[in-house]
Amino acid sequence: MPPLDELTPAMRGVLDRMRRAARLPMHHMPVEAARLGYELGAELLDLPRAPLARVENLAIPARDGHRLRARLYAPGVGAPLSALLYFHGGGFVIGSLESHDSLCRQFALASGAAVLAIDYRLAPEHRFPTAVNDAWDALLWLHANARTLGLRNDAIAIGGDSAGGTLAAVGALMARDAGMRLALQLLIYPGVAARQDSDSHRRHAHAGMLSSELIDWFFGHYLAPEARGEWRFAPLLAPDHAGVAPAWIGLAEIDPLVDEGVAYADALRAAGVPVDLRIWRGVVHDFIKMGRAIPEARELHAAAGAALKAAFA
């Protein structure tokens, strides 16, 4: 646990309750048990699932014929809505539509836009680059089918948290290369580096929700060591960041990933990309899903919603 004076009182209380619960660390579990545990606990601290005008389950075709589960959240009906394509976190191994259902509803409410959440395929059953391919296939499908869903295909943003933020950053680069205009890339503590050797990875190696051991467990399942140098895993390594969609980046201060998030913001700015970088002090990785207990989570929901509204205006 981080030094107590680094944490907000609410964050300190959450981590202390987790420590006293003495649950088996996820990286010591079989994958299926870890997935189940994450899903069962995902909404304990999340805000209640807000009612929306439209919540619709969909199936999106991937390039190999697989049907990706997806869920569309819309705060209203009538005029075509802008849309955020959203990828959940979970280290490419855990997480689902259910684990991030409440969060997607909050983004829809805060932005006034529709949110399309994608259940991309997970490792170790589907290793890199399957998740990247699924994410890109979903973006192509949304762009082609937006109008049939009552959405605007000229007002699409891409976003995600943690591993989902990685997929969103990669998707933004691929969209640029394909000549597809995106309104915004919404990156919430994304993983963007090839190696976990930054100062924050050392400083916060056991800082609550995301430990160095858990990161190693995730990536050991997700990809072969030689693939770490690919920019589709580590978008910070992309040869050129110029021309990608404007970025809104939200980070947690007490997080192994915070330094690489700042480095990615710097790389985008150096390439002439507009960037709005926010760092929430005294909170840890995954705090955005703790809206019942952590006021900073609700602040991020509102700030991200405002960024989406501005990008779609």
Side-chain angles (χ1 to χ4, degrees):
M1 188 165 169
L4 296 182
D5 60 356
E6 293 185 2
L7 299 168
T8 68
M11 190 78 259
R12 189 185 314 148
V14 167
L15 292 181
D16 189 55
R17 291 195 297 275
M18 290 180 176
R19 180 185 57 80
R20 285 187 276 118
R23 294 190 175 91
L24 184 68
M26 194 175 294
H27 59 275
H28 290 314
M29 296 181 184
V31 168
E32 284 302 329
R35 288 174 182 163
L36 179 60
Y38 183 69
E39 193 155 303
L40 290 175
E43 292 186 298
L44 291 178
L45 296 174
D46 231 335
L47 294 169
R49 296 188 180 193
L52 294 173
R54 180 184 177 193
V55 177
E56 181 180 352
N57 289 320
L58 302 170
I60 294 174
R63 64 190 64 189
D64 60 0
H66 177 78
R67 306 286 286 182
L68 299 168
R69 294 176 61 237
R71 187 170 296 161
L72 179 66
Y73 305 86
V77 295
L81 294 174
S82 307
L84 167 67
L85 182 68
Y86 196 81
F87 306 108
H88 67 76
F92 307 103
V93 176
I94 62 174
S96 67
L97 295 181
E98 302 308 326
S99 67
H100 283 62
D101 186 275
S102 173
L103 180 64
C104 290
R105 291 169 186 259
Q106 291 301 319
F107 285 149
L109 286 173
S111 67
V115 177
L116 181 63
I118 305 299
D119 214 17
Y120 57 90
R121 284 173 283 184
L122 300 176
E125 298 92 337
H126 304 281
R127 288 165 66 84
F128 174 84
T130 302
V132 174
N133 293 340
D134 286 351
W136 178 240
D137 291 347
L139 180 56
L140 290 175
W141 183 90
L142 174 59
H143 190 265
N145 292 276
R147 296 192 184 280
T148 65
L149 295 170
L151 308 176
R152 295 173 54 193
N153 70 352
D154 62 342
I156 293 174
I158 192 169
D161 60 288
S162 196
T166 308
L167 295 176
V170 171
L173 287 160
M174 296 174 75
R176 175 206 60 189
D177 294 345
M180 182 191 301
R181 181 190 173 277
L182 296 176
L184 188 71
Q185 49 179 319
L186 186 82
L187 310 180
I188 302 169
Y189 36 72
V192 294
R195 302 288 170 186
Q196 289 65 59
D197 55 4
S198 69
D199 183 57
S200 65
H201 274 282
R202 292 186 289 271
R203 198 168 63 248
H204 304 311
H206 299 94
M209 304 297 294
L210 186 65
S211 67
S212 59
E213 294 88 354
L214 183 56
I215 294 171
D216 289 343
W217 186 81
F218 283 146
F219 292 165
H221 285 305
Y222 180 53
L223 81 170
E226 58 269 21
R228 281 178 172 262
E230 284 217 29
W231 68 264
R232 292 181 302 163
F233 167 68
L236 192 55
L237 297 180
D240 179 15
H241 294 91
V244 299
W248 185 93
I249 302 176
L251 306 177
E253 180 189 25
I254 314 300
D255 183 352
L257 304 186
V258 65
D259 283 357
E260 61 196 79
V262 172
Y264 201 61
D266 289 343
L268 293 175
R269 285 176 177 144
V273 178
V275 177
D276 184 353
L277 173 65
R278 311 284 183 94
I279 302 177
W280 271 264
R281 304 296 177 182
V283 294
V284 305
H285 194 85
D286 217 30
F287 80 96
I288 61 163
K289 297 179 73 288
M290 302 179 186
R292 293 179 196 258
I294 306 295
E296 289 78 6
R298 301 188 294 275
E299 291 173 11
L300 187 148
H301 301 164
L308 287 164
K309 280 184 178 178
F312 291 139

